[in-house]
Amino acid sequence: MFWQDRRTDTAALIERCRDADAVVLTNIRFTREVMEQCPLLKYICVAFTGYDHVDMEYCREKGIVVSNCAGYSTAAVSELVFGLIGAVYRKIMLCDNAARNGKTSAGLCGTELEGKKFGVIGAGAIGARTAAIAGAFGCGVYAYSRTKKDIPGVTFIGLDELMSSCDIISVHVPSNSETAGLVSRERIAMMKRSAILINTARGPVVDNNALAEALNSGSIAGAGIDVFDMEPPLPSDYPLTTAKNCVLTPHVGFLTNEAMVKRAAIVAANLKAFREGRPINTV
């Protein structure tokens, strides 16, 4: 069984999954309350990279195998990083408005990537690809990771040093108990006034209230944000929606035609492997 529409309420999820042995879902919260009403459930394929929206404790208790689709959006997300940087640095939205309304380039002087100190928080697949692209733009690339890695052209430094010294800071860590609020109010306050923050990872990693305050006060120069404390649509009073020099996208980092094809192939491979008794991409 499959459904074209997206339902996130508990009752609908129970109705759709109660008789399933295996469930494929994207970034829909899949809670203990739902799974307790699915007695046949043996396998969950998360058609997404992150899986913090699945109650993993319950899955471990019940022996439910969980796989994800890591890798399908590596190119898509890392490319969006530079789309957001370009939008912030070159004032693309303001330029578009000026061109459509008979205005000139007055007040629209931009900023170049070349020569900037580019900081990457998290050096997994997406972080490493982002670092490589930053190097191609002529940036000096620095990274923070719990585990130091050998990535050509990347210098690993401490998180606080990265926050205080880099011109561009791009977040690429998963959302879990260790990363919640990692880019905290205190760390945002460390950033240079000329620095910008890009978050295409997970919303709870950044204190978005503190980020909005820093943007509005001019403590930092700008931000490009694709992920939030909840899935869009955002409430009208969400602080970043009115923050200065902030470009927002409604969680589209993973959403390209090519990534969807890659994801479908990984989902199919995951399901086939589970049916054959050799689950792959388990988390």
Side-chain angles (χ1 to χ4, degrees):
M1 297 290 292
F2 70 93
W3 288 267
Q4 296 282 3
D5 62 322
R6 177 185 174 90
R7 294 290 299 275
T8 60
D9 55 291
T10 297
L13 292 174
I14 291 172
E15 179 62 29
R16 292 179 173 190
C17 302
R18 68 167 72 250
D19 298 322
D21 297 292
V23 169
V24 178
L25 67 142
T26 55
N27 56 338
I28 296 171
R29 288 190 69 238
F30 211 60
T31 63
R32 175 182 295 262
E33 184 180 0
V34 173
M35 289 186 278
E36 284 176 341
Q37 302 303 314
C38 302
L40 304 178
L41 185 62
K42 302 179 183 66
Y43 179 68
I44 298 172
C45 177
V46 180
F48 220 65
T49 300
Y51 50 88
D52 53 294
H53 52 289
V54 175
D55 190 328
M56 294 298 296
E57 182 178 351
Y58 182 84
C59 292
R60 285 188 287 268
E61 288 175 10
K62 299 300 181 180
I64 298 169
V65 178
V66 182
S67 295
N68 73 345
C69 293
Y72 82 96
S73 63
T74 299
V77 175
S78 57
E79 288 178 13
L80 180 64
V81 169
F82 293 90
L84 290 170
I85 293 170
V88 175
Y89 262 10
R90 298 306 301 267
K91 305 179 182 179
I92 298 297
M93 297 171 73
L94 294 175
C95 288
D96 178 83
N97 181 267
R100 293 176 188 275
N101 291 280
K103 298 180 181 179
T104 70
S105 61
L108 297 175
C109 184
T111 302
E112 294 180 3
L113 266 160
E114 185 179 26
K116 298 297 185 293
K117 294 184 69 173
F118 195 108
V120 177
I121 299 177
I126 297 174
R129 186 178 179 94
T130 300
I133 298 171
F137 270 103
C139 298
V141 186
Y142 301 82
Y144 164 77
S145 176
R146 288 184 305 171
T147 304
K148 187 176 180 179
K149 301 180 180 180
D150 184 14
I151 302 177
V154 178
T155 301
F156 280 80
I157 58 177
L159 180 56
D160 289 353
E161 182 182 355
L162 185 150
M163 294 295 302
S164 62
S165 65
C166 287
D167 301 298
I168 303 164
I169 298 168
S170 189
V171 182
H172 299 286
V173 293
S175 178
N176 54 45
S177 59
E178 295 181 1
T179 63
L182 183 68
V183 183
S184 61
R185 178 178 297 274
E186 291 74 20
R187 288 196 169 110
I188 291 170
M190 295 176 184
M191 293 173 64
K192 299 191 293 186
R193 292 184 69 86
S194 59
I196 67 171
L197 178 72
I198 307 295
N199 187 10
T200 57
R202 304 293 275 182
V205 175
V206 176
D207 184 336
N208 285 324
N209 287 310
L211 176 60
E213 291 173 15
L215 289 163
N216 288 330
S217 68
S219 298
I220 66 173
I225 307 295
D226 185 52
V227 288
F228 309 92
D229 305 285
M230 73 288 290
E231 284 299 312
L234 299 175
S236 59
D237 60 350
Y238 192 76
L240 288 177
T241 60
T242 54
K244 297 178 182 178
N245 301 321
C246 185
V247 176
L248 306 180
T249 49
H251 198 181
V252 298
F254 66 96
L255 192 58
T256 65
N257 293 318
E258 295 83 355
M260 294 301 97
V261 172
K262 295 172 191 175
R263 184 171 76 172
I266 297 172
V267 167
N270 283 351
L271 291 171
K272 182 175 184 292
F274 178 73
R275 288 187 62 185
E276 294 173 350
R278 50 174 188 85
I280 59 175
N281 298 318
T282 55
V283 296

